[in-house]
Amino acid sequence: MSVADWALQAQDLSYAYPGTAHVFQHVSLGVRKREIGCLLGGSGCGKSSLLRVLAGLQPPSTGAIQFLDAPMREPDPRSALVFQQAGGFSGQPAQVV
């Protein structure tokens, strides 16, 4: 598979919040262009932290990320991260006036 076939590649990622133990260590993965992936795990296992690192919202403690053949050092406008729970909504139905 050529480099051009990959949308996202991560090599040996680790992440720790300052002053804490690692949230995850030694994670490597690849997502091909037009491929859909799924990340599963229990509550508090580091799924959201990994997604934030992969999206460039938080820098990894170690490792490297390539997005569309370029190093990921900050969020890229061609990528998106959608959280499972909508923030800012009360859960109350809207009223049309």
Side-chain angles (χ1 to χ4, degrees):
M1 177 157 302
S2 74
V3 173
D5 292 332
W6 295 104
L8 179 72
Q9 288 185 293
Q11 297 293 319
D12 201 30
L13 293 181
S14 297
Y15 183 75
Y17 291 101
T20 66
H22 280 96
V23 177
F24 57 83
Q25 292 181 292
H26 310 296
V27 174
S28 296
L29 61 90
V31 179
R32 294 181 185 105
K33 291 179 180 176
R34 316 257 328 138
E35 185 175 52
I36 296 172
C38 180
L39 186 59
L40 299 174
S43 179
C45 73
K47 299 177 302 291
S48 294
S49 296
L50 176 59
L51 290 174
R52 285 184 183 96
V53 170
L54 291 172
L57 299 173
Q58 294 173 305
S61 300
T62 63
I65 304 166
Q66 294 275 111
F67 178 68
L68 298 176
D69 306 326
M72 172 74 85
R73 294 190 179 97
E74 60 186 25
D76 188 290
R78 296 170 293 177
S79 68
L81 178 60
V82 179
F83 292 95
Q84 182 176 345
Q85 295 177 345
F89 293 102
S90 66
Q92 299 296 319
Q95 289 185 334
V96 178
V97 180

